[in-house]
Each structure stands twice: as structure tokens, then as C-alpha cells.
Amino acid sequence: QVQLVESGGGLVQPGGSLKLSCAASISIFRINYMGWYRQAPGKERELVASITSGGSTNYADSVKGRFTISRDYAKNTLYLQMNSLKPEDTAVYYCRADHNNYGYWGQGTQVTVSS
């Protein structure tokens, strides 16, 4: 069992920045894959960024060059640094962790980009 707790969402103006955090209940050394997903109203959940245990990263085309995924092993935490935010980035952002062939999700954190 892995529990994930996201934080860091909020309201930000276009062009602004936010940093999301996802704290895991186990050592992230034991997690094969972690990712950030988002779901906007009326749309399907989509991958934003991911990172494997080996350090390989993957980004959605829409966020490349603006978002950065990273992790802190000492804090067992996954991050998503979001810069140059756009209104279309508005969504609930979810953290996912794959461990022992099972995918775990956090409860989500709302990000709203609006002037």
C-alpha cells in the first residue's frame, strides 16, 4: 500500500509559477514509476510528466520547456515545477506511483490559472 498526498495547488495568474509536491508513504527508492497527471472539467485524465526509477523523464508536448519533474529521495517526495502557466493548464493535478505492479493515486490538487 502506498499513500500519496499532493499539495501546492492554487490560483495563479497567467505567466506565473507553482510548485506541486507529492509526499509518498514509502521510500521512493522502492517505486518504479512516478508521474503527474491532470484532469480538466469534461476531459479525460492525461499524463503531464513522469519519471522512472532510472531517472528517465517524459513530458506531454503541451508542457515541454515549462514544467519540470523532480524528486527528493530524502523526503520521499515528487515535485512538479510549473512555469509560464497558461489558462489551459487549469485542472486537478494527480500524483501516481507504480509499486509492485499496482498503480496508486493521490487525491489531487486544484490548479487554476486565471487573471
Side-chain angles (χ1 to χ4, degrees):
Q1 186 90 9
V2 179
Q3 295 178 336
L4 303 169
V5 179
E6 300 104 330
S7 61
L11 173 65
V12 63
Q13 292 186 343
S17 298
L18 280 175
K19 187 173 185 178
L20 305 183
S21 300
C22 171
S25 61
I26 67 169
S27 169
I28 61 174
F29 277 110
R30 301 169 59 193
I31 297 176
N32 300 323
Y33 167 97
M34 297 190 78
W36 287 99
Y37 291 72
R38 67 187 180 188
Q39 188 166 20
K43 294 188 177 181
E44 293 186 353
R45 191 172 297 188
E46 63 176 358
L47 173 68
V48 176
S50 64
I51 187 166
T52 67
S53 56
S56 296
T57 57
N58 183 45
Y59 294 91
D61 287 342
S62 60
V63 307
K64 283 180 180 177
R66 301 188 298 122
F67 291 10
T68 303
I69 190 170
S70 63
R71 57 195 171 185
D72 185 330
Y73 285 108
K75 296 182 178 180
N76 294 322
T77 299
L78 180 74
Y79 300 102
L80 184 68
Q81 177 67 48
M82 305 185 295
N83 298 328
S84 302
L85 282 161
K86 304 175 181 180
E88 51 263 43
D89 294 318
T90 296
V92 178
Y93 284 69
Y94 297 91
C95 176
R96 176 186 169 110
D98 288 0
H99 174 64
N100 288 343
N101 297 315
Y102 190 84
Y104 296 88
W105 294 91
Q107 82 287 351
T109 186
Q110 176 70 46
V111 172
T112 302
V113 184
S114 175
S115 55

